[in-house]
C-alpha cells in the first residue's frame, strides 16, 4: 500500500486529496487548491491587464499552454465540458514539489460592505476565471458555475479515506476536549467514537439512548466503510440523479440532459452496464501490468545478483587476488620497464571496467526501482478504485485509469527488463608474446561458451515434428564454433544427439505422436563444451495428420488433391505409403472409394519402409493388409490369406483402419462396422499407412480423425463384436 501513496496526493499542495475534483484532462486536484490557482483573465486590454500580463517580473515565467479542442468528434458541433473554453497564456510560478502553480487572482475590492462574503463561506469566483492543470498545463476558462461545474471524484476521496484509516494506529475519542483518549466503543446511531468517561457522561444507557447499539471501534470503522454513499447528482441539474452514460462524451448524464437534446445524437447506455464493463476493462488491463511488475521484480533480483557477482572481482584485485594478481605481477616482473608500464595500464583497465559495470547496473536498478514503485502504486490505486460501489464516480475516472494502465504497461516494453551490462570478466593474460611485441600485450578469452537461451516464441511442434530455436545470451563475447541439440526418446529415456552444427534453428522429424519430449542445447568452441540450456518440454500432436507420399509411391501411382487422392494407370496392383510413420499410441484413419469399376480388390493396411511396391499389399512379409472386393474380404500377410468375411465395397464405401500400439493390434472397418475379428496382433516397431490398387479404383484419404466410439466405449472382440 505504501507505493500507492503518491497516487493519493495533490500535485499542488503535496498532501492527501481533500474534496478532489476531476479536470477535463482527467487529472485531479483539491477543491481548495483549485481555488488558489485560479487566474482572472481580462475581457479587453486595459492598463491593469497590461501590467498583469506584460510585466517582466522575474518571479514568473511564461508557459505556452496547450489548447484543448472542444469540438465533438461524434457530431462535429461545438460542445463544452462544463462550459469551459480554452484560456490564453497565463503567468505561472513553480511550487515546492516541482509542478507549475498559477498564482491566485488579486481580490477585487468590494464596492459595498453588504456584498462582502459572510464568515465561513467561500468567496465568489471572479468573472472569466482561468484554471490550469498543474500536471499537463492545459488551461480552461470557467463558466458561470465556477468550480461547481467540475465533477467531484468521490472514488478517489473514498480511497484516500480508507488509506488514512488503515494508517491510523488507534481510533481516538471524538468528544475529549484536550488530548483525545483511545476510543473504546462506537455508537452506530450517533456515528461517534467514545472513550469510557465520555460515554458515561454523554451517552448514558438510559432513555432514548438505551436503544442505541454500541460496537467496538474496529467494527465501527468497518461499518463506516460499508455504509452506502448517497446517489450522485448531475452537475448541470443538481436535483437529477445520474442514471445513464454517454459513450461519445465519456461521462455520466441524467434524463434531463437527454431530454434537452445535448446528447440526442450520441450513443447512451445504462450506467450500471457501463460501470461493470469499465471495471472489467480496468481489471483486464491490470492483469497485463501485473505481469510486467512481476517481471520487473525478477529483473531487479537479477540485477542485484549481477552486482554481487561483479563486486567479488574488485575483492580479488584488492585483497584475495592470489590467482589473478599474483600471476599478472609474476609475468610483468619478468619483463623490462616497458612491460611494467603495460602492467599498470592493464590493471587500470580492469578497475575501470569494474567501476563501469557497477555504475551501469546500479543506475539500472535505481531506474527500474522507481518505475516499479510507480507501477505498484498505480496498481494498488486501481484495485482500490475497483472496490468502489459508485458507478458514476467510477466511470468519471475509469477511461483515464485504463489509459494510464496501458501506457504504464507499454513503458515495460521490449528491452526494459534486459540487463544493460554483462557481469562476467572474461579476461585471461597470455604471456606468450615476445619482448619486442610487448606493446600488444592484452587479455584474451579462454572460456567455454555460456549456456544458450531457447527462444520459446519460435519453438513449436507440428504433427510429429518439432522445431527448436536458440541464441547466445545477450552481451556475451565468447566465441562459439557450434551447437549440440539433444532430445530424449519421448518416454522419459536418456538424451541423444539429434543435431550438431552452426545453425541456431533445427527441425526434428519422425517423432512419436502423442508423446512428450525433453530437449536441450549446448554450445562449444576450442576451449571445450559449455553448459546445457534450460530443458524444454514439448508435446507432439495427439492425432495424426498425413498424406500419401509421392517419394514412396510406385511410378504407376497417380496422386492428386494435395496427395490425398490416389489412382493408378496400371492393371496390376501398385503400392503407395503415407508420409508419416507410427510406432506408439492409438491411430485411426479412413479411405473412401471414389470410383470402383470391374470388381477390383484393393488392399488397405500397414507396411514397413522397404515393402515391395509392384505387388498387392500383404504379398511379402513387410505388409499387413485387408484386401476386399464387392462381396467379401481377407486378411493377408506374407502371402497368407486368412479370415474370409462376407461384405464387400463399392463406390462411396468407407474403409477404416485402427492401429493400437498399446495392445499391439490392427482392426479394419467397412462403413463404420468392424470387418471380421482383430486382424493382426503383436505389432511392434515402425509402420507406415499403405494401400495397393489398380486402375479400376480411386481412393481418397481422410486423417486427423477421432477414435471410433465403439472402440473407446469397449474393447474389440476377436470375433468382431464389442464387449
Amino acid at each position: 500500500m505504501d507505493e500507492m501513496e503518491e497516487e493519493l496526493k495533490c500535485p499542488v499542495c503535496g498532501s492527501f486529496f481533500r474534496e478532489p475534483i476531476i479536470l477535463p484532462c482527467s487529472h485531479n486536484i483539491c477543491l481548495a487548491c483549485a481555488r488558489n490557482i485560479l487566474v482572472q483573465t481580462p475581457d479587453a486590454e486595459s492598463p491593469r491587464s497590461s501590467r498583469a500580463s506584460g510585466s517582466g517580473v522575474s518571479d514568473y515565467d511564461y508557459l505556452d499552454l496547450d489548447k484543448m479542442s472542444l469540438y465533438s468528434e461524434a457530431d462535429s458541433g461545438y460542445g463544452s465540458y462544463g462550459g469551459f473554453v480554452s484560456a490564453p497564456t497565463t503567468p505561472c510560478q513553480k511550487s515546492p514539489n516541482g509542478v507549475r502553480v498559477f498564482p491566485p487572482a488579486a481580490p477585487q475590492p468590494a464596492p459595498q460592505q453588504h456584498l462582502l462574503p459572510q464568515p465561513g463561506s467561500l468567496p465568489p469566483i471572479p468573472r472569466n476565471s482561468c484554471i490550469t492543470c498543474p500536471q499537463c498545463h492545459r488551461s480552461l476558462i470557467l463558466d458561470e458555475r465556477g468550480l461547481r461545474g467540475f465533477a467531484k471524484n468521490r472514488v478517489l476521496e473514498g480511497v484516500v479515506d480508507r488509506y488514512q484509516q488503515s494508517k491510523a494506529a488507534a481510533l481516538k475519542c471524538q468528544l475529549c476536549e484536550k488530548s483525545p483518549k483511545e476510543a473504546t466503543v462506537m455508537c452506530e446511531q450517533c456515528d461517534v467514537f467514545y472513550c469510557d468517561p465520555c460515554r458515561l457522561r454523554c451517552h448514558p444507557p438510559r432513555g432514548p439512548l438505551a436503544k442505541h447499539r454500541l460496537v467496538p471501534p474496529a467494527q465501527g470503522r468497518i461499518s463506516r466503510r460499508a455504509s452506502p454513499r448517497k446517489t450522485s447528482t448531475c452537475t448541470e441539474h443538481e436535483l437529477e440523479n445520474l442514471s445513464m452514460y454517454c459513450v461519445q462524451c465519456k461521462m455520466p448524464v441524467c434524463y434531463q440532459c437527454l431530454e434537452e437534446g445535448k446528447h440526442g445524437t450520441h450513443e447512451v447506455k445504462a450506467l450500471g452496464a457501463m460501470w461493470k464493463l469499465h471495471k472489467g476493462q480496468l481489471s483486464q488491463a491490470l492483469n497485463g501490468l501485473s505481469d510486467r511488475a512481476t517481471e520487473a521484480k525478477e529483473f531487479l533480483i537479477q540485477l542485484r545478483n549481477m552486482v554481487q557477482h561483479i563486486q567479488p572481482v574488485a575483492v580479488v584485485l584488492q585483497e584475495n587476488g592470489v590467482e589473478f594478481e599474483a600471476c599478472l605481477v609474476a609475468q610483468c616482473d619478468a619483463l623490462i620497464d616497458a612491460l611494467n608500464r603495460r602492467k599498470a595500464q592493464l590493471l587500470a583497465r580492469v578497475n575501470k571496467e569494474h567501476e563501469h559495470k557497477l555504475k551501469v547496473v546500479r543506475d539500472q536498478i535505481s531506474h527500474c526501482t522507481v518505475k516499479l514503485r510507480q507501477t505498484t502504486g498505480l496498481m494498488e490505486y486501481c484495485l482500490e478504485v475497483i472496490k468502489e460501489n459508485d458507478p458514476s464516480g467510477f466511470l468519471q475516472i475509469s477511461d483515464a485509469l485504463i489509459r494510464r494502465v496501458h501506457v504504464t504497461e507499454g513503458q515495460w516494453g521490449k528491452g526494459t527488463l534486459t540487463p544493460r551490462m554483462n557481469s562476467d570478466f572474461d579476461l585471461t593474460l597470455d604471456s606468450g608474446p615476445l619482448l619486442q611485441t610487448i606493446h600488444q600485450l592484452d587479455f584474451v578469452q579462454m572460456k567455454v561458451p555460456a549456456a544458450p537461451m531457447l527462444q520459446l516464441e519460435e519453438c513449436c511442434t507440428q504433427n510429429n515434428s518439432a522445431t527448436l530455436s536458440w541464441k547466445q545470451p545477450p552481451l556475451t563475447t565468447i566465441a562459439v564454433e557450434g551447437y549440440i541439440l539433444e532430445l530424449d526418446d519421448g518416454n522419459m529415456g536418456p538424451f541423444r544427439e539429434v543435431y550438431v552444427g552452426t545453425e541456431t534453428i533445427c527441425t526434428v522429424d519422425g517423432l512419436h505422436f502423442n508423446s512428450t519430449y525433453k530437449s536441450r542445447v549446448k554450445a562449444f568452441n576450442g576451449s571445450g563444451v559449455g553448459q546445457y540450456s534450460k530443458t524444454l518440454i514439448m508435446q507432439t500432436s495427439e492425432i495424426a495428420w498425413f498424406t500419401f507420399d509421392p517419394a514412396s509411391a510406385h511410378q504407376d501411382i497417380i496422386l492428386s488433391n494435395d496427395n490425398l487422392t490416389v489412382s493408378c494407370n496400371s492393371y496390376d496392383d501398385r503400392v503407395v505409403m503415407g508420409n508419416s510413420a507410427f510406432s506408439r499410441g492409438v491411430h485411426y484413419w479412413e479411405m473412401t472409394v471414389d470410383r470402383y469399376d470391374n470388381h477390383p480388390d484393393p488392399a488397405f493396411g500397414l507396411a514397413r519402409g522397404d515393402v515391395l511396391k509392384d505387388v498387392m499389399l500383404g504379398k511379402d512379409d513387410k505388409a499387413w493388409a485387408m484386401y476386399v472386393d464387392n462381396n467379401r474380404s481377407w486378411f493377408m500377410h506374407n502371402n497368407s490369406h486368412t479370415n474370409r468375411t462376407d461384405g464387400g465395397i463399392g463406390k462411396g464405401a468407407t474403409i477404416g483402419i485402427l492401429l493400437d500400439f498399446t495392445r499391439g493390434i490392427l482392426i479394419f472397418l467397412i462403413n463404420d462396422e468392424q470387418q471380421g475379428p482383430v486382424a493382426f496382433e503383436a505389432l511392434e516397431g515402425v509402420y507406415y499407412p499403405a494401400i495397393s490398387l489398380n486402375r479400376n479404383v480411386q481412393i481418397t484419404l481422410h486423417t486427423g480423425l477421432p477414435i471410433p466410439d465403439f472402440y473407446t466405449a469397449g474393447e474389440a472382440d476377436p470375433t468382431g463384436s464389442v464387449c
Side-chain angles (χ1 to χ4, degrees):
M1 294 283 285
D2 292 339
E3 289 85 353
M4 184 178 63
E5 186 167 310
E6 292 303 318
E7 295 282 341
L8 309 181
K9 291 185 178 180
C10 174
V12 175
C13 63
S15 302
F16 287 109
F17 282 105
R18 296 174 61 88
E19 299 182 276
I21 59 176
I22 307 173
L23 299 180
C25 55
S26 299
H27 291 129
N28 301 286
I29 189 173
C30 297
L31 180 61
C33 295
R35 181 172 292 275
N36 289 338
I37 65 174
L38 287 176
V39 174
Q40 186 177 7
T41 60
D43 291 330
E45 284 295 321
S46 65
R48 175 185 178 87
S49 63
S50 298
R51 288 192 299 270
S53 62
S55 67
V57 179
S58 60
D59 292 340
Y60 298 97
D61 59 350
Y62 289 87
L63 173 66
D64 187 10
L65 299 174
D66 296 331
K67 306 296 183 182
M68 292 187 67
S69 173
L70 297 177
Y71 289 90
S72 171
E73 296 179 0
D75 55 12
S76 299
Y78 182 76
S80 65
Y81 186 99
F84 305 107
V85 296
S86 299
T89 302
T90 310
C92 64
Q93 59 189 4
K94 290 184 178 179
S95 69
N97 60 355
V99 301
R100 287 188 169 95
V101 178
F102 289 76
Q108 298 291 338
Q112 297 179 3
Q113 184 66 27
H114 68 275
L115 294 179
L116 291 173
Q118 297 298 320
S121 64
L122 293 174
I125 302 297
R127 289 188 60 221
N128 296 332
S129 292
C130 167
I131 187 172
T132 300
C133 176
Q135 290 183 277
C136 65
H137 312 307
R138 292 186 175 181
S139 181
L140 295 171
I141 295 177
L142 279 63
D143 64 1
E144 64 277 1
R145 292 174 300 165
L147 296 176
R148 291 184 296 106
F150 293 115
K152 294 182 178 180
N153 195 338
R154 297 183 304 279
V155 172
L156 176 57
E157 194 172 10
V159 173
V160 171
D161 180 57
R162 289 201 302 269
Y163 181 80
Q164 289 179 315
Q165 289 182 7
S166 68
K167 294 296 182 180
L171 292 170
K172 301 295 183 180
C173 176
Q174 295 177 269
L175 297 182
C176 290
E177 295 182 356
K178 294 184 179 180
S179 57
K181 299 180 181 178
E182 184 174 342
T184 57
V185 295
M186 179 245 186
C187 177
E188 289 187 336
Q189 286 70 31
C190 302
D191 194 21
V192 174
F193 289 94
Y194 297 96
C195 63
D196 286 335
C198 292
R199 176 178 60 83
L200 295 175
R201 185 179 69 255
C202 304
H203 200 287
R206 59 179 180 272
L209 298 179
K211 297 181 180 181
H212 287 198
R213 183 167 181 260
L214 302 179
V215 297
Q219 183 179 346
R221 173 187 289 176
I222 297 174
S223 301
R224 276 189 172 183
R225 291 185 192 173
S227 61
R229 298 181 179 271
K230 65 178 183 180
T231 305
S232 304
T233 57
C234 180
T235 56
E236 297 190 10
H237 312 99
E238 296 182 354
L239 299 180
E240 296 291 336
N241 295 333
L242 296 171
S243 56
M244 305 296 290
Y245 182 80
C246 179
V247 178
Q248 277 80 355
C249 299
K250 296 183 178 180
M251 60 181 294
V253 295
C254 66
Y255 276 106
Q256 191 167 343
C257 292
L258 300 179
E259 292 177 356
E260 292 177 355
K262 185 175 181 180
H263 305 273
T265 60
H266 296 177
E267 181 183 2
V268 179
K269 294 187 177 181
L271 192 68
M274 292 302 295
W275 175 43
K276 293 181 180 179
L277 175 63
H278 280 227
K279 272 197 172 185
Q281 290 177 350
L282 181 57
S283 299
Q284 186 175 5
L286 278 176
N287 289 335
L289 186 59
S290 177
D291 293 339
R292 302 288 84 76
T294 301
E295 293 176 5
K297 292 177 182 177
E298 295 175 353
F299 180 61
L300 282 172
I301 295 174
Q302 180 183 356
L303 291 178
R304 292 189 177 101
N305 290 337
M306 290 179 64
V307 171
Q308 297 300 322
H309 186 77
I310 293 172
Q311 284 179 334
V313 177
V315 176
V316 168
L317 293 175
Q318 296 171 5
E319 299 177 0
N320 302 324
V322 177
E323 276 185 45
F324 188 85
E325 189 171 332
C327 180
L328 177 63
V329 172
Q331 293 174 357
C332 291
D333 287 343
L335 303 176
I336 57 177
D337 293 343
L339 184 58
N340 287 327
R341 290 193 297 268
R342 185 62 176 168
K343 178 188 68 175
Q345 295 173 359
L346 294 174
L347 289 174
R349 174 179 164 188
V350 171
N351 286 325
K352 182 178 179 181
E353 181 72 5
H354 163 256
E355 295 299 330
H356 174 66
K357 286 180 179 289
L358 285 179
K359 183 179 183 303
V360 170
V361 176
R362 284 170 175 164
D363 288 347
Q364 194 170 9
I365 289 175
S366 176
H367 175 74
C368 191
T369 301
V370 172
K371 186 179 293 186
L372 177 60
R373 183 180 182 86
Q374 295 172 349
T375 299
T376 306
L378 177 59
M379 289 171 56
E380 293 179 352
Y381 172 55
C382 291
L383 291 174
E384 291 299 320
V385 169
I386 291 177
K387 295 177 184 177
E388 286 296 317
N389 296 322
D390 183 355
S392 62
F394 177 84
L395 291 172
Q396 287 173 336
I397 64 174
S398 58
D399 278 300
L401 281 179
I402 293 172
R403 287 195 301 272
R404 284 188 62 192
V405 169
H406 284 305
V407 170
T408 304
E409 182 181 3
Q411 292 175 353
W412 295 101
K414 187 176 181 181
T416 308
L417 302 182
T418 301
R420 299 174 185 169
M421 179 60 61
N422 185 15
S423 60
D424 293 333
F425 283 79
D426 302 320
L427 303 173
T428 302
L429 190 64
D430 181 16
S431 59
L434 300 176
L435 186 61
Q436 57 268 29
T437 60
I438 196 171
H439 64 280
Q440 297 178 347
L441 187 65
D442 202 351
F443 294 102
V444 296
Q445 298 173 353
M446 294 295 292
K447 288 189 176 182
V448 297
M453 297 173 56
L454 288 168
Q455 296 184 275
L456 301 183
E457 66 277 5
E458 298 183 14
C459 297
C460 63
T461 60
Q462 183 176 8
N463 220 9
N464 63 335
S465 298
T467 299
L468 296 103
S469 178
W470 59 88
K471 64 179 181 179
Q472 280 299 103
L475 305 178
T476 184
T477 58
I478 303 175
V480 174
E481 296 180 7
Y483 300 93
I484 301 174
L485 175 64
E486 297 180 356
L487 266 71
D488 70 352
D489 61 357
N491 195 27
M492 306 300 291
F495 283 93
R496 66 189 190 281
E497 293 184 3
V498 296
Y499 171 77
V500 178
T502 59
E503 299 294 332
T504 57
I505 186 170
C506 178
T507 298
V508 183
D509 298 319
L511 302 176
H512 298 294
F513 285 95
N514 194 24
S515 299
T516 301
Y517 284 88
K518 294 188 294 183
S519 59
R520 62 188 184 184
V521 64
K522 57 185 177 181
F524 62 87
N525 60 12
S527 298
V529 180
Q531 296 292 321
Y532 284 107
S533 66
K534 293 183 178 179
T535 300
L536 176 64
I537 299 177
M538 299 182 298
Q539 175 75 34
T540 54
S541 176
E542 181 177 355
I543 299 177
W545 298 83
F546 60 92
T547 65
F548 290 119
D549 183 13
S552 69
H554 190 276
Q555 60 184 4
D556 294 334
I557 290 292
I558 302 173
L559 296 176
S560 59
N561 186 25
D562 294 329
N563 296 331
L564 292 174
T565 300
V566 60
S567 59
C568 181
N569 60 11
S570 172
Y571 286 104
D572 297 322
D573 291 302
R574 301 295 186 237
V575 173
V576 60
M577 297 189 299
N579 61 358
S580 292
F582 303 132
S583 59
R584 186 182 299 165
V586 182
H587 308 279
Y588 178 73
W589 64 96
E590 293 179 346
M591 299 185 187
T592 56
V593 181
D594 303 331
R595 179 170 52 82
Y596 188 80
D597 303 326
N598 302 322
H599 311 302
D601 47 0
F604 310 86
L606 304 174
R608 302 287 192 187
D610 55 350
V611 66
L612 296 177
K613 306 295 178 57
D614 55 357
V615 296
M616 178 183 287
L617 193 68
K619 286 285 187 179
D620 61 359
D621 62 350
K622 306 296 184 183
W624 295 256
M626 176 189 74
Y627 69 94
V628 57
D629 60 17
N630 61 319
N631 289 319
R632 62 190 68 84
S633 66
W634 294 263
F635 301 148
M636 184 167 62
H637 168 65
N638 199 16
N639 204 24
S640 174
H641 308 254
T642 60
N643 297 104
R644 189 182 77 170
T645 305
D646 291 335
I649 62 172
K651 182 179 179 180
T654 299
I655 297 88
I657 300 95
L658 195 156
L659 174 61
D660 184 355
F661 280 104
T662 62
R663 299 173 59 193
I665 63 174
L666 180 65
I667 298 174
F668 293 98
L669 297 86
I670 295 181
N671 296 329
D672 298 326
E673 297 290 338
Q674 183 174 338
Q675 183 72 0
V678 172
F680 301 100
E681 297 178 320
L683 296 176
E684 294 180 351
V686 178
Y687 300 89
Y688 291 86
I691 180 177
S692 68
L693 72 170
N694 62 21
R695 65 183 303 163
N696 291 316
V697 66
Q698 177 176 297
I699 302 294
T700 294
L701 174 67
H702 305 277
T703 64
L705 303 177
I707 306 303
D709 292 338
F710 88 92
Y711 195 74
T712 57
E715 296 183 353
D717 185 75
T719 63
S721 62
V722 178
C723 57

